[in-house]
Amino acid sequence: MLYFSRWKIIAIVAVCLAGILFTLPNFFTREQLAALPSWVPARQMTLGLDLQGGAHVVLEVDTPALVKDRVEILRDDVRRVLREDRIGYTGLGSQQTSVQVRITDQNQIEKATAKLNGLIQNLADTTFGGKPVNDLTVETPEPGLYRLTLTQAGLDHRVRRAVEQSIEVIRRRVDQLGTTEPSIARQGANRILVQVPGLQDTDRLKAILQQTARLTFHMVEDRGPSVLEGAKSSDTEVLYTNDPTPVPVLIQRRAMLTGEELVDAQATFSQQSSEAVVSFRFNTSGAQKFATISQQNVGRPFAIVLDRTVISDPVIREPILGGSGQISGNFTVQSANDLALLLRAGALPATLTIVEERTVGPGLGADSIAAGKLATVIGGVAVIVFMMASYGLLGIFANVAMIINVFFTFAILSSLGATLSLPGIAGIALSIGMAVDANVLIYERVREEQRLGRSAISAIDTGFTRAIGTITDSNLTTLIAAAVLFFLGTGPIRGFAVTLAIGNITSFFTAVTVTRLMVALWVRHYRPARVPL
Amino acid sequence: MLRLIPDDTKIPFMRWRTVTFPISVCLLVLTVMAWGALGINYGIDFTGGNLIEVRHKGGPADLSELRKMIGGLELGEAQVQGFGQGDDVMIRLPEQPGGDAAQQVALNKVKDKLGDAYEIRRTEVVGPSVSADLRRDGAIAVAVSLGLVLIYLWFRFEWQFAIGAVLTTAHDIVLTMGVIIIFQLQFDLQSLAAVLTIVGYSLNDTVVVYDRIRESLRKYKKMPLPDLIDLSINQTLSRTICTALTTFMAVLALFVFGGEALRGFNFTMLVGIVIGTYSSIVVSAPMLIFLKLRTGGSPEGVAKSDAAAAAKARP
């Protein structure tokens, strides 16, 4: 156990040096690092929000409200299609997720069935291999009575979409704050986690998260490069399309409709050509306006404008009376989804409630780092002194191993780009205390073996061998707890689990390998008759 | 060199179990009673509500004035607590009726009321829908970690060791919770992380002692189990104390110098280390005898035959 081949010594020393090398970037500023040649490791640990200050906001999509809205829209749709064809009905009402209606005229049953079945939309669901999902089912419990129920799959789809859309909207919005590295992520089924490091004005963030973006519909006067030379009028303005090479479009400044009137936009499949299209739908007043405008403007193009960019400018082929329309144009399922998403992004698709908010001012963050550093250093020094007092020279070896272990922890955290949070600092301090445990186990064992009459070399050898099994068992149990903390914890707790786990693994390496190397070199050089323990 | 524990200790820990076991049981019962009587002082992570940490600009804050100000907002039982140099104040509001949005309203009311005299250093708002999830996740985390460890130890050792280790750890968790309950300390996500860390630490300690018992079982095939356990505990005593001390020192430094934000976590850890060390010495190993008692007969007799059987099982 005490023999180390030359290449092994070199390998261990190299690993230790690498650990130090990868830790070093943390001691420099970003500007200094940028000036270094590219082959020098320059990754630093990211500081958590609790250390650099910032805002952590969890938003939740209001699912019950979403369902309620859907049912109301469905009821309005039923009323509309039946009225359109003058089908007599009675008892139109809605329950939790369904709408019920009774057709009074038996002769119109067939027509009503076709009309109501026409309300079914098959949502192009990209998450399950593009298999279409029906958003509602139409049942007839008795002749003339219809029950339209929103399917769970359809509702789930909508909640999922609502979260996706909100994340998209929020991302665009938060990016405009100009802070570095905001992170926006889904959390669970219906929550969104927004983290903005370094942000001080959290009220502004919250306002932006709950603000509605603007989607507008305008009549198009002209399009193409020629409009730039054309006569300017106070009623019109030039906007550009979102094509790879943007095309200028001259539009009427007055919006004929806004995104607030839009209730839905989905990627669907065209009934005729079965190609992917984007269908959208207005609310009742929007539908009326849209009908009037489209009746008066058949043959003219109109522009769908999102954040002052023309998303699409189709020609109105015929009056659009149903309050819904389709945008077609060589879409793949993906691009149709994207456009639908953009359309919906105009307004937040559902009410977002702030369910959790944690903000830390930059002053407190700086204080926390200072306190954490001080505490770690004091704890470290106390452990070092104690180990030296208890184990003398071998205690110094253990201390060197422990310090290298801290370097390893920092090196791994830096190269993973992991986030160091306040509990993470606690994890490091704790692993300093526990890092020497493996060495304590080994040394106590060596002491024991020596007391039993073994020679120095034999005692050291046996001590290391015997202790490794125990170290493995004890470290693995701690590792299990850390793993559970990681997988079940959130935010800062995860940070703590990561540092604890890394410290645990690296301490196993340093105690078993690095200390052993030092002890072996010492034994080889001095040939001690007794281990000074 | 510093020797905290003499080399050849022969402390009869097993004889002490007639004292330590009842003590442990009493403490456990006390914890359960305190739990029923006092309840856990959950932090806002688990109850929902607001926490606002502010610093008064220019000198110590007037706490009674602040209490009056916050109290006037009619936001329920608000806690106003000074710390640090006296200019730092922690304000806690209970969960507001009216769902998640109501918490935000309460936060803004307090912010408006505080005005410019205070720097807002930290705010935490946890709505009812999140706090319920966090409570559930916490309980799952503790259960899952204990389950996994049970499985691991079952594979590595015999079932008595696995059960013994898990019971010991459960004992440590309950007693740590007992301290939190009796002192009515705030129990939040940090305390939960501390409890889970104690799971790791306490197991670590227990496993070291168990490892030695297993080794001794192979070595001393004729030795009665209580003697063998005593021997093993004494042999590992020096290590147990040493590691407990280094860990305690590191956490103590965090507790004293690490700032307010981690105080709860660190205090819980300190308590846990003491309890974990105590239990790994006088609870975990004697528990093994207790577990084998179920085969019938007198404790000593069973222990002897068991030791022999255990020795036979391992050639």
Side-chain angles (χ1 to χ4, degrees):
Chain A
M1 282 305 268
L2 281 175
Y3 173 75
F4 280 86
S5 63
R6 179 155 300 181
W7 68 265
K8 222 172 179 176
I9 297 175
I10 293 171
I12 294 169
V13 173
V15 170
C16 293
L17 288 178
I20 294 170
L21 190 64
F22 278 92
T23 306
L24 285 179
N26 292 299
F27 295 111
F28 296 100
T29 62
R30 277 174 193 258
E31 291 76 41
Q32 285 170 319
L33 287 176
L36 292 173
S38 58
W39 50 268
V40 179
R43 288 194 80 157
Q44 287 180 313
M45 275 182 288
T46 323
L47 293 180
L49 292 179
D50 49 354
L51 294 180
Q52 60 169 311
H56 160 121
V57 176
V58 179
L59 301 155
E60 187 174 271
V61 170
D62 191 343
T63 312
L66 195 88
V67 174
K68 205 167 140 246
D69 284 353
R70 277 300 306 155
V71 172
E72 272 169 24
I73 291 166
L74 182 61
R75 199 183 56 203
D76 292 347
D77 284 346
V78 169
R79 180 184 296 130
R80 201 194 64 239
V81 297
L82 294 180
R83 276 192 186 160
E84 261 169 25
D85 282 20
R86 297 172 194 286
I87 300 170
Y89 66 90
T90 177
L92 174 63
S94 55
Q95 278 115 28
Q96 276 150 357
T97 60
S98 64
V99 171
Q100 207 160 283
V101 68
R102 186 180 289 281
I103 305 299
T104 41
D105 185 353
Q106 294 297 315
N107 299 325
Q108 286 182 310
I109 291 263
E110 209 168 297
K111 210 156 103 191
T113 307
K115 271 287 166 191
L116 293 176
N117 274 313
L119 286 173
I120 296 174
Q121 278 190 50
N122 50 355
L123 310 166
D125 193 336
T126 45
T127 48
F128 297 112
K131 211 177 107 202
V133 180
N134 286 346
D135 69 338
L136 53 95
T137 55
V138 180
E139 292 168 314
T140 44
E142 52 187 86
L145 183 69
Y146 291 84
R147 187 183 295 141
L148 292 82
T149 309
L150 297 171
T151 61
Q152 192 56 47
L155 288 174
D156 288 348
H157 180 92
R158 277 176 205 281
V159 171
R160 206 162 53 232
R161 282 299 161 88
V163 172
E164 277 167 21
Q165 295 155 25
S166 306
I167 289 176
E168 209 51 47
V169 175
I170 288 167
R171 175 162 294 133
R172 268 204 305 277
R173 293 176 186 183
V174 171
D175 278 346
Q176 285 167 14
L177 285 173
T179 51
T180 50
E181 296 162 17
S183 121
I184 296 141
R186 162 192 290 266
Q187 200 179 56
N190 58 352
R191 293 198 186 133
I192 302 160
L193 170 64
V194 181
Q195 286 185 305
V196 190
L199 186 83
Q200 297 186 35
D201 191 352
T202 52
D203 289 336
R204 188 176 159 216
L205 173 72
K206 285 193 278 184
I208 281 177
L209 290 179
Q210 292 176 329
Q211 180 193 311
T212 316
R214 196 165 165 76
L215 175 77
T216 49
F217 294 82
H218 302 261
M219 291 317 300
V220 173
E221 295 291 342
D222 200 357
R223 84 194 297 271
S226 60
V227 305
L228 295 173
E229 278 95 55
K232 299 274 184 300
S233 137
S234 63
D235 293 340
T236 58
E237 65 178 328
V238 174
L239 293 180
Y240 290 85
T241 61
N242 67 337
D243 298 313
T245 47
V247 178
V249 180
L250 186 68
I251 61 156
Q252 285 184 0
R253 202 181 282 273
R254 193 178 65 87
M256 56 188 237
L257 275 170
T258 70
E260 276 128 46
E261 313 246 41
L262 204 67
V263 288
D264 199 5
Q266 291 284 340
T268 54
F269 294 100
S270 158
Q271 304 275 319
Q272 294 87 31
S273 57
S274 74
E275 65 176 13
V277 295
V278 176
S279 54
F280 57 90
R281 194 193 290 265
F282 287 107
N283 61 18
T284 319
S285 79
Q288 271 166 14
K289 284 187 212 163
F290 197 48
T292 319
I293 294 160
S294 60
Q295 269 170 333
Q296 291 163 359
N297 294 287
V298 171
R300 288 184 66 192
F302 75 107
I304 302 169
V305 178
L306 183 70
D307 285 335
R308 300 187 58 78
T309 302
V310 178
I311 299 292
S312 168
D313 49 351
V315 172
I316 302 171
R317 294 203 196 95
E318 57 191 89
I320 302 159
L321 303 172
S324 63
Q326 281 189 348
I327 307 170
S328 56
N330 295 324
F331 292 122
T332 60
V333 172
Q334 183 63 47
S335 65
N337 262 311
D338 287 349
L339 180 55
L341 193 139
L342 278 172
L343 284 179
R344 292 180 308 242
L348 282 172
T351 320
L352 294 184
T353 322
I354 296 177
V355 291
E356 189 184 340
E357 177 200 336
R358 293 169 200 266
T359 65
V360 174
L364 180 64
D367 288 0
S368 295
I369 295 188
K373 271 187 192 160
L374 178 72
T376 310
V377 169
I378 290 175
V381 168
V383 171
I384 286 172
V385 169
F386 177 82
M387 286 299 283
M388 271 171 61
S390 299
Y391 300 106
L393 180 68
L394 293 197
I396 295 177
F397 291 162
N399 286 332
V400 172
M402 185 266 280
I403 291 166
I404 291 176
N405 174 54
V406 174
F407 272 102
F408 276 146
T409 309
F410 277 104
I412 292 174
L413 284 175
S414 310
S415 46
L416 288 179
T419 305
L420 184 70
S421 57
L422 194 56
I425 292 182
I428 290 172
L430 186 67
S431 47
I432 287 176
M434 293 179 72
V436 292
D437 175 54
N439 283 124
V440 169
L441 271 167
I442 294 166
Y443 293 166
E444 288 297 328
R445 199 70 201 226
V446 173
R447 244 183 207 175
E448 247 179 84
E449 298 297 331
Q450 187 158 266
R451 270 207 310 277
L452 293 173
R454 287 185 193 267
S455 71
I457 292 175
S458 162
I460 290 172
D461 212 31
T462 326
F464 272 98
T465 319
R466 292 261 167 90
I468 284 175
T470 315
I471 296 169
T472 312
D473 281 330
S474 60
N475 276 22
L476 265 171
T477 42
T478 309
L479 205 58
I480 290 173
V484 172
L485 269 182
F486 180 78
F487 286 113
L488 296 179
T490 53
I493 292 197
R494 284 193 141 197
F496 170 75
V498 169
T499 49
L500 188 66
I502 292 174
N504 198 293
I505 295 166
T506 55
S507 78
F508 186 82
F509 173 77
T510 51
V512 174
T513 313
V514 179
T515 318
R516 210 174 80 208
L517 177 64
M518 283 187 279
V519 172
L521 291 176
W522 168 72
V523 168
R524 200 193 285 180
H525 204 260
Y526 290 97
R527 307 250 159 231
R530 273 192 66 78
V531 190
L533 277 174
Chain B
M1 242 172 270
L2 178 71
R3 290 284 166 94
L4 295 169
I5 306 295
D7 276 345
D8 262 315
T9 50
K10 287 197 172 58
I11 306 170
F13 290 108
M14 292 305 295
R15 226 182 292 153
W16 291 5
R17 78 174 191 273
T18 48
V19 183
T20 59
F21 265 44
I23 289 178
S24 276
V25 171
C26 281
L27 290 175
L28 289 175
V29 170
L30 195 68
T31 297
V32 174
M33 276 163 49
W35 195 328
L38 302 170
I40 297 174
N41 179 14
Y42 284 116
I44 64 157
D45 290 332
F46 297 119
T47 59
N50 281 321
L51 180 150
I52 306 146
E53 190 183 319
V54 295
R55 173 169 284 180
H56 187 246
K57 291 174 185 163
D62 185 349
L63 289 182
S64 58
E65 177 67 29
L66 258 180
R67 280 196 190 99
K68 226 178 282 168
M69 267 164 65
I70 308 293
L73 294 172
E74 295 180 349
L75 296 170
E77 197 76 5
Q79 285 178 42
V80 177
Q81 196 184 346
F83 66 94
Q85 305 292 326
D87 49 355
D88 286 327
V89 184
M90 196 92 84
I91 302 164
R92 288 196 178 87
L93 303 179
E95 185 178 301
Q96 304 298 312
D100 291 300
Q103 319 308 316
Q104 288 290 329
V105 174
L107 173 68
N108 290 331
K109 272 190 191 165
V110 173
K111 275 188 181 170
D112 289 348
K113 192 83 190 176
L114 287 173
D116 289 334
Y118 292 90
E119 172 200 342
I120 291 172
R121 310 247 297 164
R122 179 160 72 107
T123 62
E124 295 194 359
V125 183
V126 181
S129 50
V130 170
S131 57
D133 288 0
L134 291 176
R135 220 166 24 224
R136 189 198 58 216
D137 293 351
I140 292 175
V142 174
V144 169
S145 59
L146 279 182
L148 285 178
V149 166
L150 185 78
I151 293 167
Y152 173 74
L153 291 179
W154 191 6
F155 273 103
R156 289 280 296 172
F157 295 76
E158 282 76 37
W159 68 267
Q160 285 92 345
F161 288 98
I163 304 271
V166 169
L167 284 180
T168 308
T169 307
H171 161 269
D172 295 357
I173 293 172
V174 174
L175 288 196
T176 308
M177 288 304 295
V179 173
I180 291 174
I181 290 166
I182 285 164
F183 288 96
Q184 283 292 292
L185 303 171
Q186 193 89 209
F187 188 79
D188 51 19
L189 275 180
Q190 278 182 18
S191 324
L192 178 70
V195 167
L196 279 164
T197 313
I198 290 162
V199 170
Y201 180 82
S202 160
L203 278 166
N204 192 312
D205 244 21
T206 304
V207 165
V208 170
V209 177
Y210 277 8
D211 229 49
R212 185 56 74 98
I213 292 173
R214 185 172 57 166
E215 191 185 321
S216 303
L217 279 172
R218 285 176 208 162
K219 215 157 150 190
Y220 310 104
K221 304 195 176 192
K222 295 275 153 58
M223 194 184 286
L225 192 58
D227 294 356
L228 189 138
I229 290 175
D230 262 351
L231 178 76
S232 306
I233 299 175
N234 275 298
Q235 280 171 341
T236 48
L237 190 61
S238 190
R239 175 267 162 192
T240 307
I241 300 295
C242 227
T243 298
L245 268 176
T246 56
T247 313
F248 193 86
M249 284 191 301
V251 179
L252 186 66
L254 273 178
F255 178 68
V256 178
F257 303 104
E260 193 62 27
L262 281 174
R263 197 136 289 168
F265 172 83
N266 291 318
F267 183 78
T268 313
M269 279 300 300
L270 288 178
V271 171
I273 291 169
V274 173
I275 294 174
T277 308
Y278 158 84
S279 76
S280 70
I281 298 173
V282 297
V283 178
S284 68
M287 188 100 81
L288 291 176
I289 292 190
F290 178 73
L291 284 168
K292 294 192 177 195
L293 255 182
R294 291 206 277 176
T295 52
S298 77
E300 301 300 300
V302 170
K304 264 179 207 163
S305 63
D306 263 5
K312 241 182 258 165
R314 291 182 204 77

